[in-house]
Amino acid sequence: MADVAQMRDLLPVQELDTRATQLRYRREHLDLRVELKSAQGELADQVKVLEGISAELKELHKAQKEAEDHASLISDRADAIDRSLYDGSVKDPKELGSLQQELAQLRSNQDNFETRALEIMEEADPVLERLDSARESASGIEGRIGDLEARITVAEAEIDAELAAVAGERSSAADAVDAQMLELYEALRVQLGGIAVAELTGRRCGGCHLELPSAQAEQVRHATEPRSAVCPDCGCLLVA
Ligand SMILES: [Zn+2]
């Protein structure tokens, strides 16, 4: 069984493992990632706004095209009547009179549809402006997202470099620990979820920060094997 004195060698390993855990937590919970998520949400909303405006425009264009097509059909018919009035094909004054009436009606209808087409074009102007400003907003958000992603990459790389340094130090620190002691530590770390060894300062456990009863603190101080030097509250090994 490993000597209780060798437990002290575990302290730097524990410290480095704790630092690595903190670094990994920081990497997972970067504030930038929260900002990124919110920007992505904003972009999704903006895309919906854009889709809505595009649908509005599509409807307006359709209505404009319909009005123009009507105007053009009516114009063709009016032109045909116009020609027949002057090519001498119609001679009956009564018939000529009714054709002139029809022509006037058709031109008036044509004018109505052309006016309608122009009105729709004017209605589309503010919608186009809204489309432009929505596109501008979306591209602003996209810019922010790109910037945040770049900053996250940098922050992750910084943390990864720190993690690599900690892993190097940890490996050296672990080399200095008795193999059996290290095995006990690793098993306890899994079992206890992080802190497997801490210092006893006075009667205070450095793992859970609770005070041990005097008798138990004494027992830890005089322990001859690791299993007797354990915090009764959190279960970590205590180095006295
Ligand atoms: Zn404890």
Side-chain angles (χ1 to χ4, degrees), residues 75-90 96 99 103 107:
S75 162
D76 289 347
R77 264 165 62 203
D79 287 349
I81 290 173
D82 209 5
R83 278 192 301 275
S84 73
L85 280 175
Y86 299 103
D87 64 4
S89 60
V90 182
L96 279 171
L99 280 175
L103 178 63
R107 288 298 184 209

Side-chain angles (χ1 to χ4, degrees), residues 205 208 231 234:
C205 162
C208 62
C231 169
C234 67

Side-chain angles (χ1 to χ4, degrees), residues 5 26 37 67 77 119 128 133 141 153-154 162 164 206 232:
R26 227 170 74 200
K37 216 176 158 202
R77 264 165 62 203
E119 280 169 359
L128 280 167
S133 99
I141 299 168
T153 305
V154 170
E162 273 189 74

Side-chain angles (χ1 to χ4, degrees), residues 81-173:
I81 290 173
D82 209 5
R83 278 192 301 275
S84 73
L85 280 175
Y86 299 103
D87 64 4
S89 60
V90 182
K91 298 209 165 48
D92 177 19
K94 209 174 146 196
E95 201 183 330
L96 279 171
S98 95
L99 280 175
Q100 265 159 351
Q101 242 183 344
E102 197 190 338
L103 178 63
Q105 184 58 52
L106 286 169
R107 288 298 184 209
S108 158
N109 283 350
Q110 179 190 343
D111 192 47
N112 283 344
F113 278 112
E114 281 170 352
T115 304
R116 180 73 198 119
L118 285 173
E119 280 169 359
I120 295 169
M121 269 176 79
E122 278 166 22
E123 279 174 46
D125 279 347
V127 184
L128 280 167
E129 274 170 34
R130 276 199 281 134
L131 184 71
D132 277 347
S133 99
R135 276 189 181 141
E136 215 174 291
S137 301
S139 99
I141 299 168
E142 277 168 348
R144 249 165 59 214
I145 287 176
D147 177 53
L148 284 166
E149 282 171 343
R151 284 163 64 198
I152 286 171
T153 305
V154 170
E156 282 176 348
E158 279 170 6
I159 294 174
D160 287 345
E162 273 189 74
L163 274 168
V166 168
E169 284 180 58
R170 200 267 188 202
S171 161
S172 311

